[in-house]
Structures are given as C-alpha cells and as structure tokens.
Amino acid sequence: MDSRRILVVGDSLFAESLVVNLSAARDVELAAIVASQKDVISSVQQLCPDAVIFAGPAPAAFDFIGELTRSRPGMIILHADPGSQTVQVVTSRSIAANVTDLLATIPFLSQGSEPDA
C-alpha cells in the first residue's frame, strides 16, 4: 500500500500525541507539523499532502477551507477535536453513493451506531 502524506495543524498536547501515533503507522508519511493556521495554505502548496488534520478546537475561521480544497481537489481535510470528541471530514472528492447509502448514514450519525450493511 502507498503511504499517505499527512500535514498536522496544531500546537496542543493532542496534536503532539496524534503526531506520535501517525509516525508509528507504516502507511503514513508525516509531511509536516504546522502550529499556525496562517501557514496551512503555503504548506499545502509546498508539500502536497494527501490529507490535512486540524488537531484541536475548531479554528476561529474555517474561511480558508474552500481555498484548500481548490488548491488540492483530492485532498481530505479532517478536524479532530478531543474536547467535543468529534471528527469532521471535508473533501471535494466525488464519491460513489446512492440515496440508499445516504439514508443509511442518517441513523448512524444521529444515534452513534453503525449503519446496517
């Protein structure tokens, strides 16, 4: 399996822990760790990661997400917030899904259980 280049954004203990765990994964290449959100777009343009993980509380302004997805259309953006125990996924990549798949996802997301296969 090809390794995935990951850019981590954050300067918290959670971000550091995430970096340690990602570094141990065989199929992950840690492209960089960026402490400041202002450096994200230039880092993405220079490093061409497969995914960007925002590790910590929600950024004050996610206004640059559109710019990120336009600069690297296939890139996945994850926001992991340990305080709220949530993970948000943003991608501009098309996925094959039909109405049945989408409807099966709604109960999963609203109840926290896995959808029936």
Side-chain angles (χ1 to χ4, degrees):
M1 176 180 196
D2 294 335
S3 67
R4 303 290 183 220
R5 293 175 49 81
I6 309 294
L7 173 70
V8 176
V9 181
D11 62 354
S12 64
L13 183 58
F14 173 67
E16 291 176 22
S17 174
L18 183 61
V19 166
V20 168
N21 285 305
L22 288 171
S23 297
R26 290 181 301 163
D27 55 351
V28 170
E29 175 189 343
L30 196 57
I33 305 158
V34 179
S36 171
Q37 294 174 35
K38 67 181 179 181
D39 298 326
V40 172
I41 292 175
S42 62
S43 296
V44 165
Q45 291 169 341
Q46 289 176 340
L47 302 169
C48 301
D50 297 304
V52 174
I53 302 174
F54 289 89
F62 259 146
D63 297 335
F64 56 88
I65 288 207
E67 187 174 346
L68 281 177
T69 57
R70 282 189 301 278
S71 69
R72 297 244 332 135
M75 184 178 67
I76 297 169
I77 301 168
L78 301 167
H79 170 234
D81 184 351
S84 63
Q85 297 181 344
T86 60
V87 174
Q88 296 172 316
V89 180
V90 176
T91 183
S92 61
R93 182 181 303 169
S94 296
I95 59 170
N98 60 42
V99 173
T100 306
D101 295 334
L102 296 173
L103 292 174
T105 303
I106 293 170
F108 167 70
L109 293 174
S110 64
Q111 297 174 1
S113 61
E114 294 187 25
D116 295 332

